[in-house]
Amino acid sequence: MQMAILIFGFFLAVGLVSFALLGSGGGRSVTKRLNAVKERHSDSTEAKLQSQMRKAIASRKPVSFAQGTNMSRIDRLRLRLEKTGKGWSLKQYISVSASLAAVICALIMIKGAPLYLGAAIGMLIGLGLPHMIVSFMIKKRLNHFTTNFPDAIELLVRGLRSGLPVGETLGVVAEEIPGPVGVEFKMITDKIKVGKTMEDAMQDTADRLATPEFQFFVITLAIQRETGGNLAETLSNLAEVLRKRAQMKLKIRAMSSESKASAYIVGSLPFIVFGLVWSVNPTYLGGFFVEPRLIIAGLIGLVWMSIGVGIMAKMVSFEI
């Protein structure tokens, strides 16, 4: 009965926190329908431009394979490894995760912990740590790409103003811009050379990177192809917008740095205290590894700490 009450309380708390963070989507759906009606019956230039942008976004192809099926979990994992730019294979990732889980489980069992606790912690670390490392590498590479992407657009603008076609300017960007930007544009030019259209090649890159900046670039080209106009001037404005977006991100990071530091300190303090007490007097905290009641209490504490850290992270996270 006690275990059933604990499980019920846990799922109830998770549901309440999810409802508090996500909220209902009724207001968003009503706003979406009102915007659609406004765009349909409005004669303003801004409304027409927004309507064309939505049509261009809706006409983009989803991520799919040759068989026409959606991405599976294995393919999504393979895509994540490809985003790191390190050339890691899926076999290497699975081998490292399994080996890490087995080593952690063996070390915990050597300390006298039961098998189910060692297996649980081993699986948690074996699955979580490689995932965190891959996420860190992806974030690092995408930040490098985002930093140099406005320079690539400005180089593309200079090439267009000098009279070069878009295909040749993409090749110039691939050769002149170092880092991930040059690599991604090199892949685009290679796909164009083997027979793919420029739109499909850019769409593949946009689906793989999944960054708002490159999505803006692809959508801008799609809208310009439908409406016409000066492509160099449009891309120049886009480069300026992306630079201002990056400046706003840095400003928000500076303003929220104090709150993030407080969240890091509050979240890491219990683990630091636990480690210090364990190093001084291991027998005092040894019950957390062998006593079932203390194990359950420790797991409940970890769950509540995770919920608190998630709420704090949500409070200091801002979308631009």
Side-chain angles (χ1 to χ4, degrees), residues 31-49:
T31 304
K32 185 177 180 181
R33 289 196 297 268
L34 290 177
N35 291 332
V37 174
K38 177 182 175 182
E39 292 174 0
R40 190 179 302 115
H41 299 283
S42 178
D43 295 332
S44 64
T45 306
E46 182 180 358
K48 292 180 179 179
L49 182 60

Side-chain angles (χ1 to χ4, degrees), residues 208-231:
R208 185 175 63 256
L209 293 177
T211 59
E213 288 76 11
F214 199 84
Q215 301 280 0
F216 294 158
F217 176 67
V218 176
I219 292 171
T220 300
L221 293 179
I223 294 175
Q224 194 274 339
R225 185 173 60 253
E226 291 184 2
T227 61
N230 191 349
L231 179 59

Side-chain angles (χ1 to χ4, degrees), residues 32 74 142 178 199-201 209 226 252 264 271-272 298 302 317:
K32 185 177 180 181
I74 299 298
L142 292 181
E199 291 78 9
D200 292 339
L209 293 177
E226 291 184 2
I252 291 177
Y264 293 151
F271 299 99
I272 295 175
L302 288 176
S317 178

Side-chain angles (χ1 to χ4, degrees), residues 56-122:
I57 296 174
S59 62
R60 299 173 64 202
K61 297 180 180 180
V63 183
S64 58
F65 292 94
Q67 293 84 0
T69 58
N70 294 327
M71 270 188 159
S72 63
R73 294 184 181 273
I74 299 298
D75 295 317
R76 291 183 185 277
L77 180 57
R78 188 179 292 110
L79 181 62
R80 281 175 52 83
L81 295 176
E82 186 180 353
K83 286 182 179 180
T84 60
K86 299 296 182 181
W88 295 337
S89 64
L90 184 62
K91 183 178 180 180
Q92 292 174 342
Y93 180 84
I94 295 177
S95 300
V96 170
S97 299
S99 302
L100 183 61
V103 170
I104 297 297
C105 179
L107 291 177
I108 294 177
M109 292 180 62
I110 289 175
K111 290 293 184 178
L115 176 61
Y116 65 89
L117 180 61
I121 297 178

